[in-house]
Amino acid sequence: MVSGCKKNTVENDREPLARVYDKYLYTLEVEGLINENTSAEDSARIINEYIDNWVRQNLILKVAEDNLQATVAEINKQALAYKESLIIYAYEKQWLAENLDTIVAEDSLKIYFEQNAKDFTLKGDIYKLAYAVTPATNKSADSIQFWFSRGIEKYRYDLERYCASNCNLFSLNSNIWLNEDDLFKLLPYNMYADGKFRTKGPVYYSDSEEKYFVKVEDYYITGNTAPFEYYREGVKDIIINKRKMELINNTYQQIYLEGIKRNNAEFIKKEE
Protein backbone atom coordinates (compact mmCIF):
# COMPACT_ATOMS: atom_id res chain seq x y z
CA MET A 1 0.00 0.00 0.00
CA VAL A 2 0.96 3.65 -0.42
CA SER A 3 2.40 5.43 2.63
CA GLY A 4 1.08 8.81 3.68
CA CYS A 5 2.79 11.75 1.97
CA LYS A 6 1.78 15.08 0.58
CA LYS A 7 2.84 14.32 -2.94
CA ASN A 8 4.08 11.03 -4.28
CA THR A 9 6.74 11.36 -6.94
CA VAL A 10 8.55 8.58 -8.72
CA GLU A 11 11.23 8.72 -11.31
CA ASN A 12 9.43 6.20 -13.43
CA ASP A 13 5.69 6.78 -13.93
CA ARG A 14 5.46 3.17 -15.12
CA GLU A 15 6.27 1.86 -11.65
CA PRO A 16 3.65 -0.82 -10.84
CA LEU A 17 1.43 -0.41 -7.79
CA ALA A 18 -0.53 -3.66 -8.12
CA ARG A 19 -0.88 -6.75 -10.29
CA VAL A 20 -3.71 -9.12 -11.13
CA TYR A 21 -2.40 -12.07 -13.16
CA ASP A 22 -0.60 -10.39 -16.10
CA LYS A 23 -2.36 -7.03 -15.73
CA TYR A 24 -0.63 -4.16 -13.90
CA LEU A 25 -1.78 -0.87 -12.32
CA TYR A 26 0.85 1.83 -12.76
CA THR A 27 1.61 5.05 -10.86
CA LEU A 28 0.61 7.15 -13.87
CA GLU A 29 -2.96 5.86 -13.63
CA VAL A 30 -3.54 7.23 -10.11
CA GLU A 31 -1.81 10.60 -10.45
CA GLY A 32 -5.04 12.43 -11.21
CA LEU A 33 -6.77 11.23 -8.03
CA ILE A 34 -5.17 13.86 -5.80
CA ASN A 35 -3.96 17.44 -6.09
CA GLU A 36 -1.66 19.78 -4.19
CA ASN A 37 -4.48 20.74 -1.82
CA THR A 38 -5.08 17.15 -0.71
CA SER A 39 -3.65 16.36 2.71
CA ALA A 40 -1.06 13.58 3.11
CA GLU A 41 -3.53 11.46 5.07
CA ASP A 42 -6.29 11.88 2.49
CA SER A 43 -3.86 11.24 -0.36
CA ALA A 44 -2.85 7.88 1.09
CA ARG A 45 -6.45 6.89 1.82
CA ILE A 46 -7.74 7.83 -1.66
CA ILE A 47 -4.93 6.05 -3.50
CA ASN A 48 -5.07 2.94 -1.31
CA GLU A 49 -8.84 2.68 -1.78
CA TYR A 50 -8.42 3.02 -5.53
CA ILE A 51 -5.75 0.31 -5.64
CA ASP A 52 -7.84 -2.04 -3.52
CA ASN A 53 -10.91 -1.51 -5.72
CA TRP A 54 -8.82 -2.02 -8.85
CA VAL A 55 -7.52 -5.36 -7.54
CA ARG A 56 -11.00 -6.51 -6.51
CA GLN A 57 -12.57 -5.56 -9.83
CA ASN A 58 -9.91 -7.19 -11.94
CA LEU A 59 -9.96 -10.43 -9.94
CA ILE A 60 -13.71 -10.63 -10.46
CA LEU A 61 -13.30 -9.71 -14.13
CA LYS A 62 -10.75 -12.49 -14.68
CA VAL A 63 -13.06 -15.12 -13.17
CA ALA A 64 -15.97 -13.80 -15.25
CA GLU A 65 -13.91 -13.89 -18.45
CA ASP A 66 -12.70 -17.43 -17.76
CA ASN A 67 -16.26 -18.65 -17.27
CA LEU A 68 -17.82 -16.76 -20.18
CA GLN A 69 -15.41 -17.22 -23.05
CA ALA A 70 -18.03 -17.23 -25.83
CA THR A 71 -19.98 -14.36 -24.28
CA VAL A 72 -16.85 -12.27 -23.76
CA ALA A 73 -16.00 -12.56 -27.44
CA GLU A 74 -19.44 -11.25 -28.38
CA ILE A 75 -19.20 -8.46 -25.80
CA ASN A 76 -15.83 -7.40 -27.21
CA LYS A 77 -17.34 -7.38 -30.69
CA GLN A 78 -20.24 -5.21 -29.54
CA ALA A 79 -17.92 -2.91 -27.60
CA LEU A 80 -15.75 -2.41 -30.68
CA ALA A 81 -18.79 -1.65 -32.84
CA TYR A 82 -20.05 0.82 -30.24
CA LYS A 83 -16.65 2.52 -30.00
CA GLU A 84 -16.50 2.87 -33.78
CA SER A 85 -20.01 4.33 -33.91
CA LEU A 86 -19.11 6.85 -31.18
CA ILE A 87 -16.01 7.97 -33.11
CA ILE A 88 -17.99 8.36 -36.33
CA TYR A 89 -20.77 10.24 -34.51
CA ALA A 90 -18.23 12.64 -32.97
CA TYR A 91 -16.73 13.23 -36.43
CA GLU A 92 -20.18 13.85 -37.92
CA LYS A 93 -21.03 16.32 -35.16
CA GLN A 94 -17.79 18.27 -35.66
CA TRP A 95 -18.05 18.19 -39.46
CA LEU A 96 -21.65 19.41 -39.44
CA ALA A 97 -20.87 22.19 -36.96
CA GLU A 98 -18.18 23.46 -39.32
CA ASN A 99 -19.91 22.93 -42.68
CA LEU A 100 -23.71 22.74 -42.36
CA ASP A 101 -25.61 25.78 -43.62
CA THR A 102 -28.49 26.34 -41.16
CA ILE A 103 -29.83 29.49 -42.78
CA VAL A 104 -33.06 28.86 -44.71
CA ALA A 105 -34.66 31.65 -46.74
CA GLU A 106 -38.31 32.40 -45.97
CA ASP A 107 -39.27 31.73 -49.59
CA SER A 108 -37.68 28.28 -49.38
CA LEU A 109 -39.71 27.51 -46.26
CA LYS A 110 -42.97 28.53 -47.90
CA ILE A 111 -42.24 26.67 -51.14
CA TYR A 112 -41.50 23.44 -49.27
CA PHE A 113 -44.63 23.85 -47.18
CA GLU A 114 -46.82 24.41 -50.24
CA GLN A 115 -45.30 21.52 -52.18
CA ASN A 116 -45.80 19.15 -49.24
CA ALA A 117 -49.06 20.49 -47.81
CA LYS A 118 -50.51 16.99 -47.39
CA ASP A 119 -47.81 16.25 -44.82
CA PHE A 120 -49.02 19.10 -42.61
CA THR A 121 -52.58 18.00 -41.95
CA LEU A 122 -53.71 18.83 -38.43
CA LYS A 123 -54.25 15.96 -36.01
CA GLY A 124 -56.04 18.27 -33.57
CA ASP A 125 -57.60 21.73 -33.43
CA ILE A 126 -55.34 24.77 -33.08
CA TYR A 127 -56.27 28.25 -31.92
CA LYS A 128 -55.13 31.83 -31.70
CA LEU A 129 -56.62 33.27 -28.55
CA ALA A 130 -56.28 35.55 -25.55
CA TYR A 131 -57.17 34.34 -22.07
CA ALA A 132 -57.53 35.56 -18.52
CA VAL A 133 -58.01 33.54 -15.32
CA THR A 134 -59.20 35.28 -12.18
CA PRO A 135 -60.35 34.08 -8.73
CA ALA A 136 -63.99 33.01 -8.50
CA THR A 137 -64.49 35.63 -5.76
CA ASN A 138 -63.58 38.50 -8.09
CA LYS A 139 -66.84 40.46 -8.40
CA SER A 140 -65.57 42.78 -11.13
CA ALA A 141 -64.44 39.96 -13.46
CA ASP A 142 -67.28 40.69 -15.90
CA SER A 143 -65.18 43.63 -17.11
CA ILE A 144 -62.93 41.11 -18.86
CA GLN A 145 -65.92 39.66 -20.73
CA PHE A 146 -66.93 43.17 -21.79
CA TRP A 147 -63.47 44.08 -23.07
CA PHE A 148 -63.01 40.73 -24.83
CA SER A 149 -66.34 41.07 -26.61
CA ARG A 150 -65.71 44.69 -27.67
CA GLY A 151 -62.17 44.13 -28.95
CA ILE A 152 -58.86 43.51 -27.24
CA GLU A 153 -56.87 46.05 -29.23
CA LYS A 154 -59.40 48.79 -28.48
CA TYR A 155 -59.19 48.13 -24.73
CA ARG A 156 -55.68 46.69 -24.47
CA TYR A 157 -54.42 49.29 -22.01
CA ASP A 158 -57.37 48.76 -19.65
CA LEU A 159 -57.12 44.97 -19.99
CA GLU A 160 -53.40 44.85 -19.25
CA ARG A 161 -53.76 47.03 -16.15
CA TYR A 162 -56.74 45.11 -14.86
CA CYS A 163 -55.30 41.63 -15.52
CA ALA A 164 -51.95 42.50 -13.98
CA SER A 165 -53.73 43.34 -10.71
CA ASN A 166 -56.62 40.88 -10.67
CA CYS A 167 -55.73 37.75 -12.67
CA ASN A 168 -53.87 34.63 -11.63
CA LEU A 169 -52.93 33.99 -15.26
CA PHE A 170 -53.44 35.89 -18.50
CA SER A 171 -52.13 36.47 -21.99
CA LEU A 172 -53.40 39.04 -24.46
CA ASN A 173 -51.03 37.87 -27.19
CA SER A 174 -53.28 36.13 -29.71
CA ASN A 175 -50.58 35.84 -32.40
CA ILE A 176 -49.36 32.42 -31.26
CA TRP A 177 -51.00 29.18 -32.37
CA LEU A 178 -51.88 26.88 -29.49
CA ASN A 179 -52.84 23.20 -29.78
CA GLU A 180 -54.93 21.23 -27.30
CA ASP A 181 -51.84 20.10 -25.40
CA ASP A 182 -51.00 23.76 -24.82
CA LEU A 183 -54.57 24.51 -23.72
CA PHE A 184 -54.51 21.61 -21.26
CA LYS A 185 -51.72 23.36 -19.36
CA LEU A 186 -53.68 26.60 -19.15
CA LEU A 187 -57.42 25.96 -19.02
CA PRO A 188 -59.94 23.37 -17.78
CA TYR A 189 -60.52 20.62 -20.33
CA ASN A 190 -64.29 21.04 -20.17
CA MET A 191 -63.94 24.63 -21.32
CA TYR A 192 -62.59 23.74 -24.76
CA ALA A 193 -63.62 20.07 -25.18
CA ASP A 194 -65.94 19.01 -28.01
CA GLY A 195 -65.10 21.99 -30.21
CA LYS A 196 -66.26 24.70 -27.81
CA PHE A 197 -63.50 27.00 -29.07
CA ARG A 198 -64.58 26.66 -32.71
CA THR A 199 -65.94 30.18 -32.65
CA LYS A 200 -64.40 33.58 -33.22
CA GLY A 201 -65.64 35.19 -30.08
CA PRO A 202 -65.52 35.22 -26.28
CA VAL A 203 -65.96 32.02 -24.25
CA TYR A 204 -66.63 31.93 -20.50
CA TYR A 205 -66.25 29.14 -17.96
CA SER A 206 -66.09 28.95 -14.18
CA ASP A 207 -65.59 26.47 -11.38
CA SER A 208 -65.49 26.75 -7.61
CA GLU A 209 -62.04 28.32 -7.59
CA GLU A 210 -61.62 30.44 -10.73
CA LYS A 211 -63.31 32.22 -13.62
CA TYR A 212 -61.91 31.72 -17.11
CA PHE A 213 -62.29 34.14 -20.01
CA VAL A 214 -61.13 33.39 -23.56
CA LYS A 215 -61.34 35.39 -26.78
CA VAL A 216 -60.78 33.17 -29.83
CA GLU A 217 -59.31 35.16 -32.73
CA ASP A 218 -58.82 32.30 -35.21
CA TYR A 219 -58.85 28.52 -35.38
CA TYR A 220 -58.20 25.53 -37.66
CA ILE A 221 -59.88 22.20 -37.06
CA THR A 222 -58.63 18.63 -37.23
CA GLY A 223 -58.08 17.29 -40.75
CA ASN A 224 -57.37 20.65 -42.37
CA THR A 225 -54.01 21.81 -43.62
CA ALA A 226 -52.38 23.92 -40.94
CA PRO A 227 -51.38 27.54 -41.59
CA PHE A 228 -47.76 27.98 -42.62
CA GLU A 229 -46.73 29.86 -39.46
CA TYR A 230 -47.86 26.99 -37.24
CA TYR A 231 -45.40 24.59 -38.88
CA ARG A 232 -42.74 27.14 -39.86
CA GLU A 233 -40.08 25.93 -37.41
CA GLY A 234 -40.92 22.31 -38.20
CA VAL A 235 -40.44 22.97 -41.93
CA LYS A 236 -37.10 24.62 -41.19
CA ASP A 237 -35.99 21.56 -39.18
CA ILE A 238 -37.00 19.25 -42.05
CA ILE A 239 -35.02 21.24 -44.62
CA ILE A 240 -31.94 21.42 -42.38
CA ASN A 241 -32.15 17.68 -41.66
CA LYS A 242 -32.30 16.99 -45.40
CA ARG A 243 -29.23 19.16 -45.90
CA LYS A 244 -27.55 17.35 -43.04
CA MET A 245 -28.15 13.89 -44.52
CA GLU A 246 -27.09 15.06 -47.99
CA LEU A 247 -23.89 16.59 -46.62
CA ILE A 248 -23.04 13.48 -44.60
CA ASN A 249 -23.75 11.11 -47.50
CA ASN A 250 -21.74 13.21 -49.96
CA THR A 251 -18.84 13.49 -47.51
CA TYR A 252 -18.75 9.75 -46.86
CA GLN A 253 -18.93 9.02 -50.57
CA GLN A 254 -15.97 11.36 -51.16
CA ILE A 255 -14.02 9.63 -48.38
CA TYR A 256 -14.79 6.27 -49.97
CA LEU A 257 -13.83 7.30 -53.51
CA GLU A 258 -10.68 9.08 -52.33
CA GLY A 259 -9.64 6.06 -50.29
CA ILE A 260 -10.01 3.75 -53.29
CA LYS A 261 -8.24 6.24 -55.59
CA ARG A 262 -5.25 6.55 -53.25
CA ASN A 263 -5.11 2.81 -52.80
CA ASN A 264 -5.83 3.14 -49.07
CA ALA A 265 -8.39 0.37 -49.46
CA GLU A 266 -8.90 -2.51 -51.84
CA PHE A 267 -11.14 -5.48 -52.41
CA ILE A 268 -9.00 -8.58 -52.26
CA LYS A 269 -10.32 -11.35 -54.46
CA LYS A 270 -9.22 -14.88 -53.79
CA GLU A 271 -8.15 -16.86 -56.80
CA GLU A 272 -10.51 -19.72 -57.59
Side-chain angles (χ1 to χ4, degrees), residues 134-154:
T134 189
T137 55
N138 183 0
K139 298 185 182 304
S140 63
D142 288 346
S143 298
I144 301 173
Q145 184 82 341
F146 173 82
W147 289 322
F148 274 12
S149 61
R150 295 298 189 275
I152 291 176
E153 289 307 315
K154 183 178 180 180

Side-chain angles (χ1 to χ4, degrees), residues 31-87:
E31 285 182 352
L33 298 177
I34 58 175
N35 56 53
E36 59 184 13
N37 296 320
T38 308
S39 67
E41 182 180 353
D42 286 343
S43 297
R45 176 181 54 79
I46 292 170
I47 293 176
N48 287 336
E49 285 180 358
Y50 183 89
I51 295 172
D52 184 68
N53 289 334
W54 182 90
V55 170
R56 289 173 183 272
Q57 179 175 330
N58 281 278
L59 283 171
I60 295 169
L61 178 62
K62 182 66 169 73
V63 172
E65 288 176 339
D66 289 344
N67 286 274
L68 296 171
Q69 290 294 330
T71 305
V72 169
E74 181 60 27
I75 290 174
N76 288 336
K77 181 179 178 181
Q78 293 176 7
L80 178 59
Y82 182 60
K83 175 185 176 182
E84 291 174 349
S85 67
L86 285 178
I87 293 172

Side-chain angles (χ1 to χ4, degrees), residues 92-197:
E92 285 181 2
K93 188 175 181 180
Q94 177 181 317
W95 176 255
L96 291 171
E98 296 172 352
N99 296 277
L100 179 63
D101 180 10
T102 57
I103 297 174
V104 185
E106 195 71 12
D107 288 345
S108 297
L109 294 173
K110 291 179 178 178
I111 290 172
Y112 184 91
F113 178 80
E114 291 168 359
Q115 291 178 344
N116 299 274
K118 66 180 185 302
D119 296 332
F120 301 101
T121 301
L122 288 169
K123 296 179 175 61
D125 292 1
I126 61 172
Y127 310 90
K128 278 186 176 181
L129 52 80
Y131 59 87
V133 181
T134 189
T137 55
N138 183 0
K139 298 185 182 304
S140 63
D142 288 346
S143 298
I144 301 173
Q145 184 82 341
F146 173 82
W147 289 322
F148 274 12
S149 61
R150 295 298 189 275
I152 291 176
E153 289 307 315
K154 183 178 180 180
Y155 294 97
R156 178 173 290 276
Y157 178 74
D158 295 323
L159 268 167
E160 288 180 345
R161 288 189 63 191
Y162 182 88
C163 290
S165 300
N166 299 279
C167 292
N168 300 331
L169 184 70
F170 76 96
S171 173
L172 305 179
N173 180 11
S174 56
N175 295 320
I176 300 173
W177 287 104
L178 302 175
N179 58 36
E180 293 189 352
D181 289 337
D182 298 321
L183 295 183
F184 186 77
K185 302 172 185 176
L186 303 170
L187 303 166
Y189 175 74
N190 288 336
M191 183 177 188
Y192 59 85
D194 302 320
K196 293 186 181 71
F197 279 5

